[in-house]
Amino acid sequence: MNFATIRNTRRILAGMNYTGLDRIYQQLDSELGMILTLHHVNPHPVPKFAPNAHLTVHPEFLRSVIQLLQQRDIDIIDLDEACERIANPTLDRRRFAVITFDDGYQDTLHHAMPVLKEFDLPYTVYLASGLIEGTADLWWEGIEALVSQQSRIALQMVGSKSGPKELNCSTRAEKMESFNFLVKYLTNDVSELDQSRVVRELCWLYKIDLEALNKSQIMSWEQVHKLMNDSKCTIGAHTLNHRALARLTPDQVVDEVTQGAMVMASELGHKPEHFAYPYGYRAAANRRDFDLMKDLGFKTAVTTRGGMIFPGHKNHMTALPRISVNGMYQKMRYFAPLTSGLPTRLGNGLKRVSVK
Ligand SMILES: [Zn+2]
């Protein structure tokens, strides 16, 4: 997490909102709608050291987001209707928004669902079967707990014959630096399998109960069945072990995705038709993966690349961008401009559809 970047982005978004530039832009462009990404929704106070705070919004903020969309005459629809609208775009139609939640956190059930029920709205939840069954971990939350609790961490680097690397975690700034180092190390420098092993070893060594942490956050199958009984909920797939697909071989990608979908099918009685790439950013899901998801028969697959949905996405239904409902931007003056499409259009070098 880079606080300077967050501060600058807030200034730019608030500036667009204040000048009305976003509303003017929105009248001119041809976007069909947007798919929103959420993770945690809960009212718990944010702790002092919370490097994953971008993943959590307050239920009141979710309520404000829905009210804003409704005030702006944006239809909140499910993924199947979005597919139909993308396949048959008409210019006179109102814009749409799809609300999606990644990972299957218990707070989706406890804190997001009541808000959505209040407005009688459809939504989608993407599940990684391994997170439910304990073969995968919420490693980023394990690392947060580890760095938060320790003042010094010894990390034995994979493949290194020299002694462990010492990470200082005494002050808040040191904790943030060490957390950022670990995330970069685990997502860039070691394989996805080693990532899981390194995190489990570190947590074991420093007495972080990763299994209990997973269980306290992720829904059980029993809770998933409650979601299933809600006719407004679409359940989508998010791989077996929450792996960054772009870092796997094509065979590994197919295994991760088909096994995840098979476990879901055996629990839910039907194969998921919609998919979300874990992490979803450029280095985690690429053109090869978009083609593989199409071959595997998914109707849609969503990334976390920022962007609106345009008619051109008709030919790229497994490479759909989303708009993040981000915990670091929980003010309407930051979020409202995002619904115009202007910030993401500028961020994408003015391209409407980007699938590289
Ligand atoms: Zn995820």
Side-chain angles (χ1 to χ4, degrees), residues 155-170:
L155 170 69
Q156 184 58 53
M157 313 279 276
V158 176
S160 166
K161 291 202 172 75
S162 49
K165 181 180 170 62
E166 295 282 324
L167 300 173
N168 290 324
C169 308
S170 297

Side-chain angles (χ1 to χ4, degrees), residues 134-272:
T135 57
D137 308 307
L138 295 171
W139 65 264
W140 54 96
E141 303 211 3
I143 292 296
E144 176 178 318
L146 172 69
V147 173
S148 174
Q149 289 172 22
Q150 299 299 318
S151 56
R152 186 174 282 258
I153 295 165
L155 170 69
Q156 184 58 53
M157 313 279 276
V158 176
S160 166
K161 291 202 172 75
S162 49
K165 181 180 170 62
E166 295 282 324
L167 300 173
N168 290 324
C169 308
S170 297
T171 64
R172 191 163 169 260
E174 283 176 353
K175 283 184 190 300
M176 194 52 84
E177 197 179 321
S178 294
F179 178 85
N180 288 340
F181 173 85
L182 282 166
V183 168
K184 186 174 171 298
Y185 177 67
L186 293 163
T187 54
N188 285 279
D189 303 344
V190 298
S191 70
E192 288 286 292
L193 280 178
D194 279 339
Q195 174 197 85
S196 175
R197 189 176 56 74
V198 170
V199 172
R200 285 186 175 191
E201 279 173 14
L202 273 175
C203 286
W204 176 79
L205 200 61
Y206 290 97
K207 299 186 171 45
I208 301 289
D209 192 341
L210 200 52
E211 196 184 333
L213 192 150
N214 294 336
K215 280 201 171 131
S216 69
Q217 305 264 353
I218 293 289
M219 279 185 238
S220 62
W221 283 119
E222 201 179 11
Q223 288 170 312
V224 171
H225 282 279
K226 276 191 194 165
L227 274 187
M228 249 187 78
N229 291 334
D230 181 1
S231 62
K232 294 283 183 181
C233 180
T234 301
I235 298 184
H238 198 40
T239 72
L240 179 65
N241 287 312
H242 205 276
R243 301 257 194 254
L245 297 187
R247 304 208 306 138
L248 304 178
T249 64
D251 285 347
Q252 288 172 328
V253 171
V254 172
D255 279 354
E256 261 296 316
V257 176
T258 50
Q259 285 178 29
M262 268 166 54
V263 176
M264 286 178 70
S266 71
E267 280 292 332
L268 309 178
H270 60 88
K271 194 175 159 275

